[in-house]
Amino acid sequence: MSKAKTLKNMNLYRHYGALAFLLGLILSSLIIIPAIIRGNGIFFYYGDFNAQEIPFYQMVHDSIRQGNLLWNSTTDLGSQLLGSYTFYLLGSPFFWITLPFPSQAVPYLMGPLFILKFACAALTSYLYLKRYVNNRLFAVAGGLLYAFSGFSIYNIFFFHFHEPMIVFPLLLMAVDKFMYDNKKGVVAITVFFACIVNYYFFAGMALFTAIYWLMLLFTNNYKLNLKKLLLFIFEVLTGFFATAFLILPTVLFLSGNPRLSALTNGFDALVYDVPQRYLYIILSFFFPPELAAQPNFTPDVNCNWASVSGWLPLVGMTGVIGYLQLRQRSWLKKLVVLLALMALVPVFNSAFQMFNSSIYYARWYYMLVLMLSLCTVISLENKEVDWNRAIRWSVGITLGIALLIGIMPNTVTDDNDTEQTVIGLSEYTTRFWIYVAIAMLSLLLFVLIIKLFRKQGNRLAVAAIAGIVIISLLSSTYIVQTGVTLDDKESQFLKSYAVNSKDKLEIDDISEVRSDFYECVDNLAMYWQIPSMNAFHSVVPSSIMEFYESIGITRDVASRPSCDYYGLRGLFSCKYVFDEKFDDEDSSFTDENGSTKMSGYKYLKTVNGCRVFENEYYVPMGFMYDSFIPTEEYEMINQQDRSEALLKAMVLSMEDMEKYSDITGYTKEKYKPLKYDLKNGKTHTFESITNSYEYGSHAYFSDCKALKNNSCHSFSYNSQGFEATINNTGNDNLLFFSVPYDEGWSATVNGEEVEIVKANVGFMAVKIPANQESKIIFKYTVPGFYCGIIISVVCAIIFFMYIIAIFIYNKRKVKHKR
């Protein structure tokens, strides 16, 4: 081949990458833009997308532009910005693209960014797949299979799931380049970006890449010596530790989060407790993805939001079956079989999320999908594949599952407790048969393509690409539009009253006090960027989790304390209650007689689609108690009463009770050490003042009035934390703030640094002097941040020296050969 012809082919190969990106861009535009038009320029979707992704993006965007980089007062009761949002967006380049734009533009950017993500996923998967095919048009087809797979479409409601999908193929490509081509530096760079983009997904990527690397090594595809092994380990560690500026403070912040500590054990580690889950896993590769909150084929599978989907448009599992039926052995066959086993065994499945089994997730399936895409494109290019056999298996399994679920008799109980027999096991019959029709139409089109173009090389590749585009457009548009319309009423509300609507509230102190949201759209406060006691957010300070556990409330993914815990409204300084669904008797803050669900509230105004009620017994932020009890005494109170008891006395550790005995009244005689009674277990030997506590609305009103009379007369948040002033006309006291306790806080009173005391289980208090006005300033620094920066800088310097050394070595090697 002439040099000119070689260069021409090289340029053509480069165009294939552009083709993959362009096709991904066009196809995702056709899928997403109709939904954007429906939303008057904003892409709304159901579930977490509306409740989290849009408000998170805009709120963090505004915080960074305003210089509030440390503590975020509008995330639950307050949270570290970095720790709470590294998982969602801070490591994403797509988020940083929004920074040059004004705040009002951010919600309108979500749809275009989604389109860009799909295109990038098609490109990066193409870059990985191209090594394993001779005709790179097949790699383009594989890139589209991956980018528009069931996993990708299923997880549209999780906007931050697509960055890992983009970077994962690059990680495998980098490992291949290092092992096959001896390219240095690429592994360190991709490890760095994979970890920065999303630390949770990186844990799964690291495990998968280790399995991938070992599989290729033990099947003699990778060649290894000690020098190469050491350099590989060096690049992995350098790339990982270079992320310390972001990951170290995040890890420190996450320590203590109960969602990270549940491990699989016993038979739960070997078999799933829900038999339907096995069928659900299998059929997720043969049918288009279901809506995350509405499992249809297996209604009782208990896998809402679990990301169980791996369907490949047009081909389904046909190409994979064809590849597995080939006689020759390969590392890819072994890997796919191993991954299938890991998907079906709970403990192996949980390994991709560091063995955390607090809830079932299959959020590593995108990695399996890439391997299935690789099997498919290799099959399309391989002339030895028995397509008739593969098609029979694929159609047989697809049709078999459809008929078994679709026509199986089922006894159900209606609303009147009357049993009746119906045909079919699915939850939504019409939607079920539409899914079956899409799957069968997809296979039919694939059969036609195979029959017409099986031995025609480029034509087969082009036909496959066209088929993938057609089926992806058909299936994805249906699924996306179903998701868009599922919460159409909520989307209309958000569009009319939530997005860019804070200024319409016209409540002077709304940004300085907390509000309560009764049965409202999740995270409405975040849309308006106002402090609130409600939040739908998984990553918050562990002290919040600790507090809610102490009062008997399960706080896993959201803070939504019911009206039964009305004492929390005083403790958290909530001044306003917003009632969105006031036209619904079952969901309104007022009953049929017009009485509010919690006593002590008066109607203020109706604004932004909500009735607003003002708390007549509002306690300003920052207040003093005249009574104190140790944690041991607090734990003697019934859990259902503790939220009210926290307004009667400040809860401190026994050590702090003793340290501040001049304030708390602690004496060793009063609080003798606990004894252990073999018959009754631990018991107290002191007379508890909690035995005299009275509960109920009248006691609550009285407690709130007393605390209000001993509260700060000014309080405000700032870019470094918050500050307040109080006129203490009594003795030295401890001033309580319902801001979550965190090691990053420091405080000064009248310019002098003071100790921060952990109070009321998960919050903070400081000592203030007697008989004077005091100014209290709390400042926040991110624990581990500066140490992380130092580690990252050192790693960057080491990596830079490594690249220079490699460059010099290669240059000398070339010179020596000459």
Side-chain angles (χ1 to χ4, degrees), residues 215-230:
M215 184 65 73
L216 284 160
L217 183 65
F218 290 141
T219 53
N220 296 318
N221 287 275
Y222 283 165
K223 306 301 178 184
L224 191 65
N225 54 43
L226 181 60
K227 175 186 173 182
K228 198 169 189 177
L229 175 61
L230 292 175

Side-chain angles (χ1 to χ4, degrees), residues 234-251:
F234 167 79
E235 289 207 17
V236 170
L237 294 178
T238 302
F240 174 71
F241 284 109
T243 66
F245 73 97
L246 191 62
I247 301 304
L248 178 60
T250 301
V251 169

Side-chain angles (χ1 to χ4, degrees), residues 272-341:
Y272 292 116
D273 57 347
V274 182
Q276 287 187 25
R277 190 166 296 166
Y278 290 101
L279 178 60
Y280 187 45
I281 291 170
I282 294 169
L283 66 83
S284 70
F285 293 93
F286 287 88
F287 293 90
E290 298 185 318
L291 292 176
Q294 297 184 348
N296 190 15
F297 284 65
T298 52
D300 301 320
V301 71
N302 191 26
C303 285
N304 288 5
W305 320 107
S307 304
V308 185
S309 185
W311 184 68
L312 301 180
L314 179 69
V315 295
M317 289 291 286
T318 313
V320 177
I321 294 170
Y323 181 79
L324 294 176
Q325 290 175 346
L326 289 172
R327 291 185 178 180
Q328 63 264 34
R329 297 179 179 179
S330 74
W331 64 269
L332 184 56
K333 278 187 181 181
K334 294 180 174 67
L335 181 59
V336 169
V337 172
L338 175 61
L339 295 174
L341 176 65

Side-chain angles (χ1 to χ4, degrees), residues 536-549:
F536 174 31
H537 197 304
S538 302
V539 191
V540 297
S542 58
S543 54
I544 291 180
M545 305 283 195
E546 181 185 4
F547 170 78
Y548 276 117
E549 182 181 4

Side-chain angles (χ1 to χ4, degrees), residues 386-582:
D386 185 348
W387 284 110
N388 290 332
R389 185 183 178 192
I391 289 169
R392 285 197 300 270
W393 272 96
S394 184
V395 172
I397 294 172
T398 304
L399 194 57
I401 292 174
L403 292 177
L404 283 173
I405 294 177
I407 65 174
M408 180 70 69
N410 186 27
T411 301
V412 298
T413 303
D414 61 21
D415 295 337
N416 297 320
D417 293 330
T418 302
E419 290 188 351
Q420 57 179 327
T421 301
V422 298
I423 300 300
L425 305 177
S426 63
E427 184 74 13
Y428 309 98
T429 305
T430 302
R431 194 186 302 171
F432 168 81
W433 288 112
I434 291 175
Y435 273 53
V436 171
I438 292 174
M440 297 307 297
L441 176 63
S442 178
L443 291 175
L444 176 61
L445 180 57
F446 181 67
V447 169
L448 292 175
I449 291 171
I450 290 296
K451 295 296 183 183
L452 293 174
F453 305 106
R454 175 68 189 95
K455 298 180 180 180
Q456 298 186 38
N458 279 348
R459 290 188 177 182
L460 175 61
V462 171
I465 290 171
I468 293 168
V469 168
I470 292 170
I471 296 299
S472 294
L473 182 59
L474 174 66
S475 60
S476 299
T477 299
Y478 173 73
I479 295 163
V480 170
Q481 288 299 320
T482 303
V484 167
T485 57
L486 193 64
D487 277 347
D488 198 43
K489 184 177 180 181
E490 177 181 296
S491 297
Q492 291 294 329
F493 176 86
L494 293 174
K495 181 168 53 180
S496 301
Y497 301 116
V499 175
N500 298 328
S501 297
K502 177 185 177 181
D503 292 342
K504 299 176 184 177
L505 292 175
E506 296 181 345
I507 301 175
D508 293 338
D509 58 353
I510 196 67
S511 295
E512 301 299 337
V513 300
R514 288 202 182 110
S515 296
D516 185 13
F517 288 79
Y518 182 82
E519 297 289 333
C520 291
V521 172
D522 275 324
N523 291 334
L524 186 55
M526 291 190 188
Y527 271 99
W528 295 333
Q529 297 184 34
I530 61 174
S532 170
M533 63 176 289
N534 314 94
F536 174 31
H537 197 304
S538 302
V539 191
V540 297
S542 58
S543 54
I544 291 180
M545 305 283 195
E546 181 185 4
F547 170 78
Y548 276 117
E549 182 181 4
S550 79
I551 62 173
I553 294 178
T554 301
R555 205 293 180 197
D556 42 19
V557 299
S559 298
R560 304 184 186 108
S562 71
C563 291
D564 294 334
Y565 297 88
Y566 55 84
L568 294 182
R569 278 67 185 179
L571 184 72
F572 293 160
S573 300
C574 288
K575 188 173 182 180
Y576 303 106
V577 170
F578 285 83
D579 177 22
E580 172 202 339
K581 301 172 184 176
F582 54 84

